[in-house]
Amino acid sequence: MDSLILKANTALPRSLRKTDPSPEKYRKYRHIANQKLRTTLHRQSANSERSKALLKDAELLLPNEAGKMEVEGDMDRTWRISQDEIVSSVSVEAARGRKEFALDGGPYRAKYTRNGRHMAVVGQKGHVATFDWRTGTMHSELQLRETCRDITFLQDHSHYAVAQKKYVFIYDRDGVELHRLKSHIEPTRLEFLPFHWLLATVGNTGYLKYQDTSTGQLVAEHRTKLGACVTMTQNVHNAVIYLGHQNGTVTLWTPNLPQPAVRLLAHLGPVCSVAVDPSTGGRYMATTGVDGMVKLWDCRSWKEALRSWNSRGGNATLAWSQRGCLAVASGGAVNVYSRPSIHAPHPVPSPPPLYLTHPQPAKPHASVAFCPFEDVLAIGHADGVSCILVPGTGEPNFDSSEADPFEGRKARREREVKSLLDKIQPDMIALDPEFLGGLAPPSKLTGGVDPDTVPFARQPRLGRLRIQGKADETEDVSEDEAASERPEDPNGEASKHDRAEREKRKMRGKGKSLKRYLRKQRKNVIDPRAVAVREQLAKQRAERERARVLVESYDKSKSERPSALDRFHRGP
């Protein structure tokens, strides 16, 4: 009996427990001398590769697959299929996504929650509404009677922020005003970073501001110096904010940098819309401008646009889906382009093959937004909001620990607490999020680094010149070569003496303040202060030399002066 109780309340040490075998190929860190650090890095690398393998195996067990429209004949096209035909062909549950909301007070902008269950709309004249679009349950409806420019949910549907005429206001699920953010003046666009709990705003003042919604503090405030901004989006992969400005540039911002991390001249006129592809980890970006051009960019190189074409009507609005489909709303119609054709480079300006189109004449579009985990596209226009079906745009499988469309009150509360505990600090936002947990590159000043393994951009100037064949090394003589040219001493006393003399001459005068000041000055820069100091040093050196000559001449004359004791001097 005692043995059973002991067995039930004890466990093997972690070092003796059975673990999965290590993967065959994973990154090794044999060059690290510290054994403890090397073991930790090996364990992390093995766990990462094991997780990737398990994730790849789990993809085979996913219950649902992404659908897509396909045609039977070679002459048929998917863009010729209307919404009525799609609704009659899909299931009853999927057909519920086709909705038309006729509203006054437009144009309207629409936003979804992360799980795609709830929807928020805001009209320019002050009409605000949040509801469950699946069941039609209304959460709150407000008539603010002032200009409203944007709306976004915070951590979930229980709180949302509205960009009103003068400030940003935060409301709860029932529409009760909770906060008025006076530091955000005349906002035009809102974005919420869910993993950092940051509310990013930009407005007519040209300031990008980050507000921590968990503590209420203003984390960062950046002056763009590019005037009023009406275009903003976020990269869900690395939480970088993308801004489109009136001079045609697109800038990328992080809270820890006072200047943009990337500045790109995208269009010849003002930028209308910017969107980032979430299916590729933020690799591709699409922009539109007043010049009527739609351009696709590769965020890895930031060179010329991969593909560009002219949109009919200009002032287009963009949105990417979870499966990499691009929606372009302009000229009284909404066009959807699918991959891989949208990502293929094309040197000549021409539109990619069209996947689906939905005409909406005489209805100026204000926004487009894909519903997460659903094949639904919400279009905000002057007469309300239209939801159309676009097969193959939503992710069919969801992670219930991250975003669950069917979560209840208890699950939502637990997820909110867990996300608050796992909140990422704003200083960790960067263009390359993979640098976290990695090793810093070796310093250029430390020895023992193979120069062939260091990239050309990180080489010192002499190294780059040596690679290019432009380095002048005719007079460079190393200490080993200089030592080999000296005569050998069997006892080694001369070499020790020479080494000591070299060290002594090397450190001579290093502690003087004037010499330290001169070492800081560049020899190839003409500085009046440095010239004056050099003249002063030369004058002091000349005075010391003159005093030394006088002393030597006095000693010599004193030694030649006759004395009474010279009679006792005994000659040789």
Side-chain angles (χ1 to χ4, degrees):
M1 187 66 181
D2 296 339
S3 62
L4 293 177
I5 296 176
L6 182 63
K7 184 177 180 180
N9 292 276
T10 57
L12 284 174
R14 183 174 298 179
S15 59
L16 300 179
R17 297 176 189 173
K18 293 183 178 181
T19 58
D20 296 336
S22 301
E24 297 179 356
K25 296 181 179 180
Y26 63 94
R27 186 176 178 182
K28 304 296 181 60
Y29 298 89
R30 295 190 179 94
H31 62 282
I32 298 178
N34 192 340
Q35 182 179 1
K36 184 177 180 180
L37 178 60
R38 183 172 65 250
T39 304
T40 304
L41 293 176
H42 284 173
R43 187 184 301 113
Q44 291 179 357
S45 180
N47 292 337
S48 177
E49 294 297 331
R50 188 183 297 110
S51 301
K52 292 179 181 178
L54 294 176
L55 181 61
K56 189 175 182 180
D57 295 340
E59 292 179 356
L60 302 175
L61 304 176
L62 296 178
N64 300 321
E65 296 182 359
K68 194 175 183 180
M69 288 193 301
E70 296 181 356
V71 293
E72 297 179 354
D74 296 337
M75 301 301 294
D76 296 335
R77 296 293 182 267
T78 57
W79 58 268
R80 296 177 180 174
I81 302 176
S82 63
Q83 286 295 308
D84 295 337
E85 295 177 357
I86 296 176
V87 171
S88 60
S89 302
V90 299
S91 62
V92 177
E93 183 67 24
R96 292 181 180 178
R98 179 71 177 98
K99 297 178 182 296
E100 288 286 344
F101 301 99
L103 304 172
D104 297 332
Y108 278 85
R109 295 183 62 86
K111 289 289 185 66
Y112 287 98
T113 54
R114 287 185 61 208
N115 57 8
R117 184 64 183 266
H118 306 275
M119 184 179 181
V121 297
V122 59
Q124 191 174 3
K125 296 181 181 179
H127 179 214
V128 178
T130 59
F131 52 91
D132 186 342
W133 68 271
R134 289 177 179 271
T135 61
T137 304
M138 180 69 69
H139 299 323
S140 63
E141 186 174 9
L142 304 174
Q143 290 289 348
L144 300 177
R145 298 181 181 181
E146 68 175 0
T147 302
C148 296
R149 304 182 183 92
D150 200 4
I151 190 172
T152 184
F153 285 105
L154 299 186
Q155 68 272 10
D156 50 29
H157 68 281
S158 61
H159 297 83
Y160 60 92
V162 181
Q164 297 181 202
K165 182 179 181 180
K166 194 174 182 180
Y167 302 116
V168 175
F169 290 82
I170 296 179
Y171 300 89
D172 65 354
R173 176 182 175 179
D174 299 328
V176 179
E177 180 184 330
L178 300 179
H179 303 284
R180 179 177 60 180
L181 307 180
K182 291 185 178 181
S183 58
H184 303 261
I185 302 173
E186 295 185 9
T188 56
R189 292 294 178 264
L190 305 176
E191 284 290 340
F192 182 73
L193 309 179
F195 299 103
H196 306 78
W197 287 63
L198 292 178
L199 177 64
T201 67
V202 69
N204 293 327
T205 58
Y207 281 85
L208 173 63
K209 301 181 181 181
Y210 293 86
Q211 187 85 26
D212 193 336
T213 58
S214 61
T215 61
Q217 297 179 354
L218 187 65
V219 176
E221 180 179 359
H222 300 322
R223 182 188 174 192
T224 61
K225 302 179 183 179
L226 295 174
C229 180
V230 295
T231 303
M232 181 172 66
T233 188
Q234 65 166 310
N235 188 346
V236 296
H237 179 64
N238 53 13
V240 176
I241 295 295
Y242 292 62
L243 298 180
H245 302 281
Q246 301 296 321
N247 60 351
T249 60
V250 176
T251 54
L252 278 62
W253 296 85
T254 58
N256 46 21
L257 290 178
Q259 65 275 354
V262 176
R263 189 190 299 269
L264 172 69
L265 181 60
H267 295 272
L268 299 179
V271 180
C272 296
S273 180
V274 179
V276 183
D277 186 6
S279 64
T280 58
R283 183 178 300 174
Y284 297 101
M285 177 187 70
T287 61
T288 60
V290 178
D291 54 1
M293 297 297 295
V294 180
K295 296 184 179 181
L296 186 70
W297 307 85
D298 191 347
C299 298
R300 295 171 297 178
S301 59
W302 297 111
K303 294 182 180 180
E304 60 182 8
L306 294 178
R307 180 187 285 268
S308 62
W309 67 92
N310 194 356
S311 62
R312 183 178 57 184
N315 295 344
T317 304
L318 304 175
W320 286 94
S321 70
Q322 291 179 321
R323 302 289 298 177
C325 295
L326 178 64
V328 181
S330 66
V334 179
N335 300 325
V336 181
Y337 306 93
S338 62
R339 61 180 187 180
S341 60
I342 188 65
H343 295 156
H346 201 277
V348 181
S350 63
L354 189 59
Y355 176 65
L356 185 141
T357 182
H358 179 67
Q360 282 187 325
K363 292 181 180 179
H365 300 105
S367 68
V368 287
F370 283 96
C371 180
F373 309 108
E374 292 289 342
D375 296 339
V376 178
L377 173 63
I379 307 167
H381 48 79
D383 296 340
V385 179
S386 301
C387 297
I388 63 175
L389 300 180
V390 185
T393 58
E395 181 66 34
N397 303 285
F398 59 89
D399 187 358
S400 59
S401 62
E402 290 292 336
D404 187 2
F406 308 102
E407 67 179 0
R409 181 178 300 177
K410 184 177 180 180
R412 181 185 63 82
R413 185 166 58 246
E414 294 294 334
R415 180 185 54 79
E416 182 177 352
V417 173
K418 184 177 181 300
S419 63
L420 187 59
L421 294 175
D422 297 338
K423 184 181 72 170
I424 304 175
Q425 295 300 321
D427 295 339
M428 301 176 71
I429 298 178
L431 289 177
D432 184 15
E434 302 297 334
F435 81 98
L436 297 176
L439 293 177
S443 176
K444 302 175 184 178
L445 303 179
T446 57
V449 180
D450 188 6
D452 297 334
T453 60
V454 181
F456 179 79
R458 295 184 179 180
Q459 291 274 0
R461 184 173 182 273
L462 182 59
R464 293 196 300 268
L465 292 175
R466 188 180 291 111
I467 293 175
Q468 295 175 352
K470 300 179 181 179
D472 186 10
E473 300 178 348
T474 56
E475 297 182 1
D476 290 348
V477 180
S478 61
E479 294 185 2
D480 298 337
E481 296 177 357
S484 62
E485 295 178 358
R486 301 191 190 97
E488 296 183 358
D489 188 4
N491 298 328
E493 297 294 336
S495 60
K496 293 181 181 179
H497 180 71
D498 294 344
R499 193 179 302 110
E501 286 294 330
R502 287 198 303 272
E503 293 294 333
K504 185 177 180 180
R505 287 196 301 268
K506 182 178 178 181
M507 298 304 297
R508 183 178 297 170
K510 295 289 185 178
K512 295 184 179 180
S513 58
L514 285 176
K515 293 294 185 64
R516 279 201 305 270
Y517 178 78
L518 288 176
R519 282 199 304 271
K520 294 180 181 179
Q521 303 299 320
R522 298 287 185 182
K523 292 184 179 180
N524 57 349
V525 177
I526 300 177
D527 190 0
R529 294 178 298 177
V531 172
V533 171
R534 290 193 184 96
E535 292 179 354
Q536 183 180 359
L537 282 177
K539 187 183 297 184
Q540 293 177 1
R541 195 180 301 109
E543 292 179 357
R544 287 196 299 270
E545 184 67 20
R546 192 181 303 110
R548 185 181 64 80
V549 172
L550 290 177
V551 170
E552 290 180 355
S553 61
Y554 176 76
D555 294 340
K556 186 176 180 181
S557 62
K558 184 178 180 181
S559 61
E560 294 178 356
R561 186 180 304 171
S563 174
L565 299 178
D566 290 341
R567 76 180 78 178
F568 302 106
H569 179 66
R570 183 179 299 178

